Amino acid sequence: MFLIINIVFILLVFRILFNAKVLKRLMEYHWGLLLKFQHILFFLIFFIITFFTENYFLDVPELIWSVLSVTIFNVGIYSLVYVYLVPEFYLSNKYPEFILYALISFLVSSLFRILLEPAVFNMHFNETLSNTKFLYNVYTSQGIVILVASFLGITKDKFLIEQDFKDLGEEKDQLYLDLLKSKMNPHFLLNTLNNIYSKSFQPSENTSESILQLSKLLQYVIYDTGKEKISMAQEFSSIRSLAGLYQLKYNNVLNISFDIQDEETLELIDISPSLCLTLFENALKHSAVGIEAESYIEVHYKILDQELLFEIRNSVSKKKNLVGNMSDSGLGNEAVLNILERNYAWRFTFISEPAENNNYHTVLKIKL
């Protein structure tokens, strides 16, 4: 009965260890330490169980030597199954061979103990403590060793595969987000450079201002988008630089306005790069500013009830073909949502929808 209770205890311990949340925490720290910990824990429990089961047949100090010998012997059997049988046969889908060799290991190790232990150590057998109980203990303990070694060996590779798959998925997501965060409309940048070049033949303040704004924007793209977080002041600086380039392109006639409240918080609040810039860039694309006479963009920012509120209202082009040459607009709402869900899960509200009178309304709220 004591042995059965301990077997149940072992199973419960390993079930707790393989709980998804516990494993996630441990594997995030170091999966190798987790595996070593499981081996050490198992043999510690095995040592204790063997000590109490053989206590009935042996006296100290033979009991100690017997338990040590059995533990060392089973470390070898455990290693044989864990290191060789599982990778060589089970993971190669040779299930019949794996079962056969595991069974042979069980029988040989059990027979080895049955023949040698009574001969080497002075075991006491009587009517109460018959050799049948000894045989039962040997078969049970050897079965547990092989089953646990098989279980951990199979599970180890399963976790390694899942961890590698997870790591690859995270790397893929990170590369995707990095690509999206650093992406700026290449047609716009090339056109801006061409405009600066054409104006350079007749030097003016606009040419110098264009170079300055483009320099700020490129600095943002090259340096700031690679960071985890930047200040709202940096994000608005890039937005103003982008707006300034558009204004210079259309001779400062665009109806683009900024309503920034709580301006003192811009340096204090951090945000993932490109979120607000992307929404502004999308508004530039779809509003047809510089193309249609009544087009406009309004940008609003404030802190309300411990929430960052970034809002854009813009016109919508009446003729879609007028903005067709700007199809490469930036991240897009889907990518913005990916970044929000990754960095602000359960803390954001994002609305992007048409409004009345052929207008468009975008709202981003982030709980601070």
Side-chain angles (χ1 to χ4, degrees):
M1 179 61 68
F2 178 78
L3 187 60
I4 294 173
I5 292 173
N6 280 280
I7 293 170
V8 173
F9 175 73
I10 289 176
L11 294 175
L12 287 174
V13 168
F14 279 101
R15 179 66 188 88
I16 292 171
L17 284 176
F18 284 97
N19 179 275
K21 292 183 178 179
V22 175
L23 274 173
K24 183 178 179 182
R25 287 290 187 90
L26 291 172
M27 291 185 77
E28 283 176 354
Y29 180 68
H30 202 303
W31 67 265
L33 292 179
L34 168 63
L35 295 177
K36 292 176 183 177
F37 172 74
Q38 290 175 336
H39 302 323
I40 294 170
L41 177 64
F42 169 70
F43 277 106
L44 178 63
I45 296 172
F46 179 83
F47 182 90
I48 295 171
I49 292 175
T50 306
F51 180 88
F52 282 103
T53 54
E54 295 204 354
N55 183 47
Y56 299 103
F57 304 102
L58 292 167
D59 297 324
V60 180
E62 286 188 324
L63 173 62
I64 296 174
W65 288 111
S66 174
V67 173
L68 286 174
S69 300
V70 169
T71 303
I72 294 171
F73 171 73
N74 276 289
V75 168
I77 300 299
Y78 181 96
S79 301
L80 173 68
V81 176
Y82 182 85
V83 176
Y84 178 71
L85 293 185
V86 172
E88 187 70 21
F89 298 103
Y90 186 90
L91 298 179
S92 300
N93 297 325
K94 300 175 182 177
Y95 302 124
E97 290 91 336
F98 173 75
I99 294 173
L100 174 63
Y101 288 123
L103 182 59
I104 291 173
S105 300
F106 167 72
L107 294 175
V108 170
S109 62
S110 299
L111 183 62
F112 186 83
R113 286 187 58 188
I114 290 169
L115 293 176
L116 287 184
E117 282 189 54
V120 175
F121 304 102
N122 186 24
M123 289 192 166
H124 307 295
F125 297 116
N126 51 43
E127 294 181 357
T128 306
L129 300 172
S130 64
N131 55 2
T132 304
K133 290 184 178 180
F134 172 70
L135 294 176
Y136 171 77
N137 289 341
V138 169
Y139 286 134
T140 304
S141 61
Q142 293 310 117
I144 290 174
V145 168
I146 291 173
L147 285 174
V148 170
S150 301
F151 175 72
L152 289 183
I154 294 167
T155 310
K156 178 197 73 169
D157 286 271
K158 175 178 177 291
F159 282 132
L160 287 178
I161 292 170
E162 289 183 354
Q163 187 68 17
D164 289 342
F165 182 78
K166 178 184 175 183
D167 291 342
L168 286 173
E170 289 180 351
E171 288 178 9
K172 178 184 175 183
D173 290 343
Q174 188 60 49
L175 288 172
Y176 173 69
L177 290 175
D178 290 343
L179 175 64
L180 292 175
K181 287 193 295 183
S182 64
K183 186 181 179 186
M184 180 63 66
N185 189 331
H187 300 297
F188 171 73
L189 294 176
L190 288 173
N191 288 337
T192 301
L193 286 171
N194 288 332
N195 290 335
I196 294 173
Y197 173 75
S198 62
K199 292 177 181 179
S200 65
F201 293 103
Q202 296 177 346
S204 66
E205 291 184 2
N206 286 348
T207 303
S208 301
E209 183 66 19
S210 295
I211 293 173
L212 177 62
Q213 298 299 341
L214 182 61
S215 174
K216 290 181 179 179
L217 203 55
L218 288 175
Q219 181 181 358
Y220 174 85
V221 170
I222 294 171
Y223 297 107
D224 292 339
T225 56
K227 300 176 182 177
E228 287 292 326
K229 296 288 180 66
I230 63 171
S231 68
M232 279 300 300
Q234 291 172 286
E235 188 77 356
F236 264 106
S237 176
S238 64
I239 291 173
R240 289 184 181 279
S241 295
L242 184 58
L245 286 172
Y246 267 84
Q247 290 283 14
L248 291 170
K249 179 181 178 180
Y250 293 100
N251 297 316
N252 298 310
V253 296
L254 303 185
N255 186 8
I256 301 176
S257 62
F258 292 90
D259 176 21
I260 300 178
Q261 301 179 28
D262 306 304
E263 192 167 352
E264 67 279 1
T265 64
L266 291 178
E267 289 287 354
L268 303 176
I269 295 175
D270 292 337
I271 192 172
S272 295
S274 298
L275 282 178
C276 297
L277 176 62
T278 298
L279 300 178
F280 181 71
E281 191 183 359
N282 290 342
L284 284 172
K285 170 194 171 184
H286 297 291
S287 64
V289 286
I291 300 175
E292 295 181 354
E294 297 179 357
S295 59
Y296 73 95
I297 297 176
E298 295 177 356
V299 179
H300 303 273
Y301 166 86
K302 63 180 176 181
I303 303 297
L304 182 64
D305 298 329
Q306 297 299 310
E307 278 190 333
L308 182 156
L309 174 61
F310 182 80
E311 183 179 10
I312 298 178
R313 296 182 181 273
N314 60 272
S315 57
V316 178
S317 174
K318 298 175 182 177
K319 299 179 181 180
K320 298 298 182 182
N321 62 321
L322 292 178
V323 293
N325 62 333
M326 300 176 64
S327 58
D328 189 6
S329 62
L331 302 180
N333 288 346
E334 182 180 350
V336 169
L337 278 171
N338 284 336
I339 296 175
L340 287 170
E341 289 171 357
R342 185 183 180 91
N343 298 313
Y344 304 99
W346 312 108
R347 293 170 48 203
F348 73 91
T349 301
F350 180 61
I351 301 171
S352 183
E353 59 186 10
E356 297 178 354
N357 300 323
N358 200 36
N359 295 321
Y360 205 85
H361 187 205
T362 301
V363 177
L364 172 60
K365 294 181 181 179
I366 300 177
K367 290 183 181 180
L368 302 175

